[in-house]
Each structure stands twice: as structure tokens, then as C-alpha cells.
């Protein structure tokens, strides 16, 4: 029962930490931590078999998004 | 979903929304939009619409990747 | 007054301010800011249990973002 509050507090901490960070490259690991915490929350929130699939879909989508941002950020700096 | 969880995830979404307005870098803005979606995804799950959550969480990253196409073009020019 | 409705209204107002007065006054900043009121409207549709409207809105937002990206790309190539 305490686990979901712990994960939600972790998500808030990671969101604050990602917001106050100046460097873009250092922001992305904190965004990943927040995405893992949100995926854990979706599983813990409901007792339904489809919750596992929904959490997996959120996990895949958010990881793809963060990696695409990181790839464009690194490639754009080298090329420019 | 009780009051404390609503407050915590509303805090995540509001931090993302205010941060997306205040950031000046375009990558920072895209990251803040990702934080906003992370804040509202548990509200969709708590309502019980898990199939909607699957569809939305697969469509929103595609939107971000479409915007990233023009970010790369912009960095290449400058 | 469910919490989804109140949070959706707050995010919608912040997003309208962000899209109306973007910090770097560029097309790209305004296009990224345009995502935020979309999420606010998504929460308000969720508060009224309009599931089909929510799915249609998200799909059309993705397609219109693609069209706007092509338009901005063509405008910047012309300059």
C-alpha cells in the first residue's frame, strides 16, 4: 500500500529535478526516472490484466521519445 | 485514487506545464511536454480506460518525433 | 467538479497563455506550446467520459501537427 505513494513521490522529485537542471543532456536521465515511476504507478493503480499491457505501452512510448530527443540533440550539435 | 495521489500527479503535470512556458531551449520545451503527459497518464488509468491509455501513449511520442524532424533541420541551418 | 476537470482547466489556461505568447517568438516554439492546451482539453474530455472524442482528438492532433511541420519546413526553405 505504501509502494504507490513512494513511487508517486519519486515521480514528483524527478520532475522537479529535471526542471531545475540547466544542461539538456543531464535533464534526460531524470525524465527517464520519472517515466519509470509513472509506468510503475499505472501497474499499481488497478488490479486488471490490461494494466500490464498499458504500462508496457507507456514504457515503450516514453523511452522511444526520450531516446529520440537525445539522438537529435547529439546529432544536431555535431553537424551544426 | 485518493487525494494525496491526485495532488502528487497534478503537481507533476503543473510543473511540466509551467516549465514548458518558461524554457527557452526547444529541447527543454519538448522534455517539458513529455513531463506533462507523464502527469496526466495516471488520471486516464485511474478512470479505467486502459485501452485509451495504450492508444494515447503510442500516439503522443509519434507527435514528438514529428516535431523533432524540424528541430534537426533548424539546428543544421544555424 | 472532479479533479480531472479542475486540473484540465488549469492546464488549458496555462497552455493558452503559452501558445499565445511563446517565449522565443518563433514558429517552432509556438508549435511546441500548442501541445499543452491539447493535453488540458484531453483531461476535460476525460472528466465527461467522452472516450471516442478523446481518441479522435488525439489522432487529429497528430495529423495536424504533421501538416503544420510540413508548412513550417516549406516556409523556412523559401526564406
Amino acid at each position: 500500500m505504501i509502494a504507490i505513494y513512494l513511487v508517486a513521490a519519486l515521480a514528483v522529485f524527478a520532475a522537479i529535478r529535471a526542471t531545475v537542471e540547466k544542461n539538456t543532456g543531464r535533464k534526460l536521465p531524470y525524465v527517464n526516472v520519472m517515466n519509470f515511476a509513472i509506468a510503475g504507478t499505472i501497474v499499481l493503480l488497478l488490479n486488471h490484466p490490461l494494466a500490464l499491457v498499458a504500462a508496457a505501452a507507456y514504457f515503450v512510448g516514453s523511452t522511444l521519445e526520450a531516446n529520440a530527443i537525445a539522438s537529435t540533440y547529439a546529432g544536431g550539435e555535431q553537424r551544426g | 485514487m485518493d487525494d494525496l495521489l491526485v495532488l502528487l500527479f497534478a503537481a507533476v503535470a503543473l510543473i511540466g506545464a509551467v516549465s514548458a512556458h518558461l524554457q527557452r531551449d526547444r529541447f527543454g520545451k519538448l522534455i517539458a511536454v513529455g513531463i506533462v503527459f507523464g502527469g496526466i497518464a495516471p488520471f486516464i488509468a485511474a478512470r479505467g480506460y486502459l485501452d485509451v491509455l495504450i492508444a494515447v501513449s503510442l500516439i503522443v511520442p509519434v507527435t514528438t518525433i514529428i516535431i523533432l524532424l524540424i528541430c534537426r533541420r533548424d539546428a543544421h541551418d544555424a | 467538479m472532479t479533479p480531472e476537470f479542475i486540473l484540465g482547466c488549469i492546464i488549458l489556461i496555462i497552455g493558452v497563455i503559452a501558445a499565445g505568447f511563446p517565449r522565443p517568438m518563433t514558429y517552432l516554439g509556438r508549435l511546441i506550446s500548442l501541445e499543452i492546451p491539447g493535453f488540458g482539453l484531453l483531461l476535460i474530455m476525460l472528466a465527461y467520459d467522452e472516450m471516442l472524442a478523446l481518441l479522435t482528438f488525439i489522432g487529429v492532433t497528430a495529423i495536424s501537427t504533421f501538416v503544420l511541420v510540413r508548412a513550417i519546413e516549406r516556409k523556412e526553405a523559401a526564406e
Side-chain angles (χ1 to χ4, degrees):
Chain A
M1 196 57 206
I2 192 77
I4 186 164
Y5 297 105
L6 203 65
V7 173
L10 184 63
V12 176
F13 171 71
I16 293 172
R17 193 72 177 76
T19 301
V20 300
E21 183 68 48
K22 293 285 183 203
N23 190 0
T24 303
R26 286 172 192 258
K27 270 179 196 233
L28 285 161
Y30 292 108
V31 175
N32 270 324
V33 170
M34 193 208 71
N35 285 327
F36 299 159
I38 300 288
T41 308
I42 293 169
V43 175
L44 291 172
L45 209 56
L46 289 182
N47 282 322
H48 194 276
L50 206 56
L52 192 64
V53 183
Y58 179 79
F59 188 82
V60 169
S62 60
T63 308
L64 191 69
E65 180 183 357
N67 281 331
I69 292 174
S71 166
T72 307
Y73 178 68
E77 288 295 313
Q78 279 178 3
R79 222 178 290 161
Chain B
M1 198 161 180
D2 53 358
D3 289 341
L4 184 58
L5 286 177
V6 168
L7 212 61
L8 286 173
F9 289 116
V12 173
L14 287 177
I15 287 169
V18 173
S19 160
H21 179 50
L22 296 180
Q23 293 282 340
R24 301 196 67 86
D25 185 28
R26 46 183 192 277
F27 295 105
K29 272 180 180 290
L30 283 173
I31 290 170
V33 171
I35 292 176
V36 175
F37 178 61
I40 70 169
F43 286 98
I44 304 177
R47 277 267 171 166
Y49 293 133
L50 290 172
D51 47 351
V52 178
L53 180 60
I54 294 171
V56 170
S57 56
L58 291 179
I59 291 175
V60 169
V62 171
T63 310
T64 306
I65 291 171
I66 289 171
I67 295 179
L68 276 174
L69 292 176
I70 200 171
C71 282
R72 183 181 303 163
R73 189 67 50 90
D74 204 6
H76 182 65
D77 288 342
Chain C
M1 294 294 276
T2 55
E4 286 95 351
F5 184 75
I6 300 170
L7 181 64
C9 284
I10 296 172
I11 290 180
L12 186 64
I13 291 170
I14 294 174
V16 166
I17 293 171
F21 307 100
R23 278 296 288 279
M25 200 72 180
T26 57
Y27 295 122
L28 185 59
R30 187 165 280 189
L31 181 61
I32 296 172
S33 298
L34 199 60
E35 298 271 313
I36 308 169
F39 286 131
L41 205 56
L42 189 150
L43 273 176
I44 293 175
M45 284 177 184
L46 187 71
Y48 286 105
D49 286 329
E50 300 282 352
M51 185 178 104
L52 197 60
L54 199 153
L55 273 178
T56 314
F57 178 71
I58 287 296
V60 171
T61 302
I63 296 172
S64 74
T65 305
F66 182 65
V67 173
L68 285 173
V69 163
R70 290 301 298 267
I72 293 171
E73 200 171 322
R74 189 161 299 182
K75 179 94 163 56
E76 286 186 349
E79 285 174 354

